[in-house]
């Protein structure tokens, strides 16, 4: 039976590890799954033992609800297993997982490098709160190499932020090259690894801190908001945990329990969705209405060589650039007419989604023009044939 002692899971397959990750007989009284421990107050037998109460192999001490408890610990351990990291801090949203490490590693007078293709709200904190606190951010072309990143480094550059592929535009970054340039000047490398979950092992490519919107594939059912910040070193964990604590960040036990339940089936979902996503992306690529498909797993992607070098597979989120002869109104009508694709933000759930992205992409260092109206597609767990039939009837409504 799994217990609190780390088992040598590494040699086993991903699905096997996901089945066992974070399961502790100590806290679940023998039940397969951990209980949901809701609570603010933790009662202690006496004043002295209060200091060490519940201390586990990571020195996590249960003194108050904000410190987390068994439900959060179980998910933290599972995320470390998925990301290949040492320690994990859970926060209430994926966005908080973006902002907390930035605030933890940067202070007034520091400089930050951020890819121009960063998730929009990540740009917002850089140009908003961070700028207000005297932290300067330079947005860089996401596809630049080691020498160009090195040239952007300043003595006060403390964080090089990365996200690969970029939100909406799907450029892949040369993470090992960026990490070499950053580490040569003593900066931390942060990465939003939500798209690459399981298929990109951040700490094997030089990343110091890996960010996940657990909202997406880990929760997997579009019913939870949650984020994780995983570190390679104990020292970085302490820096982030301290900042998260000072700002009062917390991950609710019910949400952690749901995310853990999602993680149990994630290997199967990811496998299905990878294949389904590629099938639909390839189908789009063969259509005369489509200018190009933005999917790193397709040979047509400009950084496909990086994909083959660094990723073991892809998730089911990609972009479609329509032929420039189509207007926004025509593409809106096509999307509105789809029966099986919901129109909405987020992704990673069991259901397929379509979202217009033209007009929602901010770029200040690179050209945002992709050549035509663009939409983002998330492929869920439906039968691929049904999805393609739906898209086919939708495209038939477009003028030839
Ligand atoms: C959705 C998303 C986030 C934020 O997650 P939320 O839980 O919605 O706050 C962060 N990064 C990327 C790349 C995302 O797609």
């Amino acid at each position: 039976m799994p217990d609190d002692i780390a088992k040598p899971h590494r040699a086993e397959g991903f699905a096997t590890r996901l089945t066992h990750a974070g399961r502790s007989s100590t806290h679940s009284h023998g039940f397969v799954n951990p209980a949901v421990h809701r609570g603010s107050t933790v009662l202690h037998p006496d004043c002295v033992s209060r200091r060490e109460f519940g201390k586990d192999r990571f020195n996590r001490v249960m003194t108050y609800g904000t410190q987390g408890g068994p439900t959060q610990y179980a998910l933290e351990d599972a995320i470390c297993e998925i990301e290949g990291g040492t320690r994990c801090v859970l926060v209430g949203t994926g966005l908080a997982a973006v902002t907390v490490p930035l605030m933890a590693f940067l202070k007034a007078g520091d400089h930050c490098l951020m890819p121009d293709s960063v998730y929009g709200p990540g740009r917002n904190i850089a140009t908003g709160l961070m700028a207000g606190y005297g932290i300067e951010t330079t947005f860089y072309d996401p596809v630049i190499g080691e020498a160009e990143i090195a040239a952007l480094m300043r003595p006060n550059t403390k964080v090089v932020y990365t996200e690969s592929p970029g939100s909406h535009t799907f450029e892949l970054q040369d993470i090992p090259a960026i990490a070499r340039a950053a580490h040569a000047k003593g900066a931390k490398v942060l990465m939003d690894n939500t798209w690459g979950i399981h298929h990109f092992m951040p700490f094997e490519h030089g990343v110091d801190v890996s960010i996940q919107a657990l909202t997406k594939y880990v929760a997997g059912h579009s019913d939870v908001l949650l984020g994780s910040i995983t570190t390679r070193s104990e020292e970085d964990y302490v820096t982030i945990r301290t900042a998260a604590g000072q700002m009062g960040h917390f991950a609710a036990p019910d949400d952690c329990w749901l995310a853990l339940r999602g993680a149990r089936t994630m290997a199967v979902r990811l496998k299905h969705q990878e294949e389904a996503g590629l099938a639909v992306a390839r189908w789009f690529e063969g259509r005369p209405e489509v200018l190009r498909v933005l999917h790193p797993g397709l040979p047509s992607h400009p950084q496909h060589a990086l994909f083959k070098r660094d990723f073991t597979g892809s998730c089911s989120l990609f972009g479609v650039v329509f032929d420039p002869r189509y207007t926004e109104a025509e593409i809106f009508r096509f999307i509105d007419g789809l029966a099986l694709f919901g129109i909405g933000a987020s992704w990673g759930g069991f259901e397929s989604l379509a979202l217009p992205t033209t007009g929602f992409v901010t770029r200040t260092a690179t050209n945002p023009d992709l050549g035509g109206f663009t939409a983002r597609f998330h492929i869920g767990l439906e039968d691929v044939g049904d999805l393609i039939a739906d898209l086919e009837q939708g495209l038939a409504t477009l003028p030839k």
Side-chain angles (χ1 to χ4, degrees):
M1 180 183 285
D3 56 28
D4 272 333
I5 307 304
K7 289 182 61 176
H9 286 321
R10 297 271 166 225
E12 299 167 354
F14 183 56
T16 308
R17 288 189 282 116
L18 276 189
T19 306
H20 291 280
R23 279 171 55 194
S24 146
S25 57
T26 314
H27 294 308
S28 61
H29 303 283
F31 281 92
V32 170
N33 291 299
V36 181
H37 288 272
R38 300 187 188 91
S40 50
T41 301
V42 181
L43 297 176
H44 303 98
D46 54 66
C47 297
V48 171
S49 68
R50 179 171 189 272
R51 295 187 199 135
E52 303 264 292
F53 194 68
K55 198 172 209 173
D56 69 357
R57 68 190 158 100
F58 283 138
N59 290 324
R60 289 176 291 206
V61 187
M62 285 175 231
T63 55
Y64 187 58
T66 53
Q67 309 285 313
T71 322
Q72 285 92 345
Y73 295 178
L75 182 60
E76 286 174 13
D77 295 353
I79 300 304
C80 283
E81 189 70 47
I82 293 167
E83 294 265 75
T86 306
R87 298 294 301 275
C88 171
V89 178
L90 296 171
V91 286
T93 62
L95 177 54
V98 172
T99 59
V100 166
L102 287 169
M103 298 313 275
F105 287 114
L106 292 161
K107 61 180 189 322
D110 286 347
H111 175 240
C112 172
L113 286 172
M114 235 185 214
D116 212 23
S117 51
V118 66
Y119 171 67
R123 176 184 291 271
N124 293 346
I125 190 169
T127 57
L129 278 179
M130 280 163 53
Y133 291 147
I135 300 159
E136 194 188 342
T137 301
T138 302
F139 291 95
Y140 64 91
D141 182 342
V143 303
I144 64 178
E146 188 170 347
E148 293 145 301
I149 282 282
L152 292 173
M153 297 292 296
R154 302 178 191 170
N156 61 340
T157 307
K158 295 291 158 57
V159 166
V160 178
Y161 192 90
T162 62
E163 180 183 336
S164 182
S167 276
H168 297 314
T169 42
F170 298 93
E171 301 93 334
L172 282 192
Q173 300 200 256
D174 190 343
I175 301 291
I178 291 170
R180 279 193 300 274
H183 290 155
K185 293 286 163 60
K188 294 288 179 195
V189 178
L190 277 49
M191 178 181 186
D192 185 330
N193 190 36
T194 305
W195 192 94
I197 189 159
H198 168 54
H199 295 300
F200 183 90
M201 297 308 283
F203 306 111
E204 291 173 10
H205 295 92
V207 171
D208 298 302
V209 177
S210 181
I211 292 156
Q212 278 289 342
L214 304 181
T215 307
K216 310 289 165 52
Y217 289 99
V218 175
H221 295 73
S222 308
D223 51 5
V224 176
L225 288 160
L226 209 58
S228 66
I229 309 153
T230 308
T231 64
R232 179 163 52 181
S233 75
E234 177 74 22
E235 190 191 350
D236 287 347
Y237 165 80
V238 171
T239 302
I240 293 165
R241 184 75 196 88
T242 303
Q246 286 179 4
M247 292 191 279
H249 279 284
F250 174 68
D254 294 80
D255 294 341
C256 292
W257 192 89
L258 283 167
L260 201 54
R261 169 185 264 238
R264 301 296 175 213
T265 58
M266 190 174 71
V268 181
R269 288 185 285 110
L270 279 179
K271 192 165 189 303
H272 174 95
Q273 286 176 277
E274 171 178 22
E275 285 164 17
L278 279 168
V280 177
R282 281 193 207 103
W283 178 84
F284 265 123
E285 215 165 34
R287 292 292 307 204
E289 298 89 349
V290 171
L291 182 68
R292 60 196 182 106
V293 176
L294 312 173
H295 190 313
L298 293 180
S300 59
H301 188 277
Q303 290 92 42
H304 185 63
L306 281 183
F307 176 82
K308 286 207 294 194
R309 189 191 71 185
D310 295 346
F311 288 70
T312 57
S314 53
C315 76
S316 64
L317 185 81
F318 59 89
V320 175
V321 184
F322 291 92
D323 190 281
R325 71 179 179 274
Y326 295 116
T327 63
E328 177 184 89
E330 284 164 346
I331 301 301
F332 276 11
R333 189 148 37 83
F334 155 66
I335 292 175
D336 292 350
L338 296 174
L340 299 178
F341 289 78
I343 303 168
S346 204
W347 44 286
F350 58 86
E351 82 296 7
S352 291
L353 296 168
L355 186 75
T357 48
T358 296
F360 295 95
V361 179
T362 305
R363 292 287 180 272
T364 51
T366 53
N367 181 4
D369 184 14
L370 294 167
F373 194 88
T374 307
R376 191 179 75 175
F377 289 84
H378 170 256
I379 304 305
L381 294 171
E382 303 90 339
D383 292 292
V384 180
D386 292 337
L387 294 175
I388 289 179
D390 190 28
L391 292 165
E392 192 147 29
Q393 67 77 25
L395 288 185
T397 67
L398 289 176
K400 290 292 150 231

